[in-house]
Amino acid sequence: MRIHVVSDVHGRADALRRAGDGADALICLGDLILFIDYSDHAQGIFAELFGRSNADRLIALRTQKRFDEARAFSRALWDSLDGGAWPHIERAVRKQYAELFEAMPTPAYLTYGNVDLPHMWAEYARDGHRVLDGETAEIGGLRFGFVGGGLRTEYRTPYELDDDAYAAKVAAVGQVDVLCCHIPPAVPELLYDTVARRFERGSEAVLELIKDTQPRYVLFGHVHQPLARRVRIGRTECVNVGHFRASGVPYALSV
């Protein structure tokens, strides 16, 4: 059985439409929405609402780790919108989700990324789309576990969880053949982004599960330009499946 895996789609509906070609199933590890694009500052919801120059400013502040200034700057912009921030964000997110779920192949198994809005997915998922978070599914005779979202950071993205809440989802999955997460296990070379020049957060709970149960694979995304895309821990192959927005190419897994 051939399975294609994508993560960090960030608005690439065009490539997503083709992502299942030649595969028996698709797995999507989240981050469907493009809120702000660090590669092309003119793209994403923030730039659509406030223009490229304001996106340039926000990205510069975040990159310099001036998070309090970044929040104050963005808050002033959101407060300037008629009716407040949420109606404008909701319209933009709904437009992206409508396009992305329409393009999503079937059958597909999905979990959330840290920038996703889980409460909206049920409205857009179609027949053949199965959303799992802290849950398992049998695919091709193997047990797959799914853990969505991310851990708390200074960026305060929509689906960030406390460490204990995230660990509870990992524990609920338990022993599996393949573990599918949005964020990596807490291994430094998997967490360092060589372009952003910073460490992202990874999961200690996932790392402990790997050491305790030794699944065949752990698949994840989140770090767009990692120092290492693959690391072996015991018999477990840990694989960053790639930044789908940039590559448009799914990772192929044969089981």
Side-chain angles (χ1 to χ4, degrees):
M1 184 175 188
R2 182 181 175 93
I3 299 169
H4 286 177
V5 189
V6 300
S7 185
D8 301 274
V9 175
H10 294 303
R12 280 297 304 272
D14 59 330
L16 186 60
R17 195 176 302 278
R18 304 185 299 270
D21 291 355
D24 298 292
L26 179 77
I27 290 175
C28 179
L29 304 181
D31 272 11
L32 297 182
I33 291 300
L34 181 65
F35 185 78
I36 193 162
D37 191 335
Y38 283 73
S39 298
D40 182 352
H41 299 183
Q43 301 298 314
I45 292 171
F46 191 89
E48 288 173 14
L49 290 172
F50 301 118
R52 172 159 186 165
S53 61
N54 284 318
D56 289 342
R57 176 63 175 159
L58 180 65
I59 290 168
L61 289 171
R62 286 182 168 185
T63 302
Q64 295 162 19
K65 301 188 186 303
R66 294 158 62 186
F67 295 111
D68 289 340
E69 291 177 67
R71 280 192 286 273
F73 174 70
S74 62
R75 188 181 303 113
L77 291 172
W78 292 117
D79 289 346
S80 72
L81 294 175
D82 186 32
W86 177 244
H88 299 272
I89 295 172
E90 183 179 21
R91 278 195 298 272
V93 169
R94 287 188 180 280
K95 180 182 177 183
Q96 288 193 24
Y97 275 155
E99 294 172 352
L100 290 158
F101 278 95
E102 189 277 328
M104 186 82 65
T106 59
Y109 301 82
L110 302 88
T111 197
Y112 311 112
N114 61 291
V115 302
D116 286 312
L117 296 170
H119 70 276
M120 288 188 181
W121 278 30
E123 298 179 48
Y124 297 98
R126 299 184 290 116
D127 288 346
H129 295 160
R130 186 173 175 188
V131 180
L132 303 113
D133 189 16
E135 300 166 279
T136 62
E138 184 174 308
I139 309 172
L142 297 180
R143 184 177 175 88
F144 282 68
F146 294 82
V147 179
L151 296 170
R152 301 287 182 197
T153 70
E154 291 282 359
Y155 297 98
R156 300 183 183 178
T157 51
Y159 193 42
E160 293 182 354
L161 303 167
D162 293 335
D163 286 43
D164 57 352
Y166 192 91
K169 293 197 297 182
V170 176
V173 164
Q175 187 158 2
V176 292
D177 298 299
V178 183
L179 179 62
C180 299
C181 310
H182 178 69
I183 64 172
V187 176
E189 54 265 49
L190 298 176
L191 302 179
Y192 188 71
D193 190 307
T194 60
V195 174
R197 296 184 179 180
R198 66 169 183 256
F199 284 96
E200 302 289 354
R201 286 207 66 193
S203 171
E204 293 285 353
V206 169
L207 181 58
E208 288 306 309
L209 183 141
I210 292 168
K211 292 176 178 177
D212 291 345
T213 69
Q214 292 283 280
R216 296 188 192 183
Y217 296 96
V218 175
L219 309 177
F220 50 87
H222 188 56
V223 182
H224 292 178
Q225 299 92 13
L227 183 63
R229 292 202 174 272
R230 306 175 76 102
V231 165
R232 195 166 187 87
I233 302 172
R235 80 180 194 106
T236 301
E237 192 76 16
C238 302
V239 183
N240 185 318
V241 301
H243 180 201
F244 188 71
R245 175 170 176 78
S247 72
V249 177
Y251 174 78
L253 178 70
S254 296
V255 299

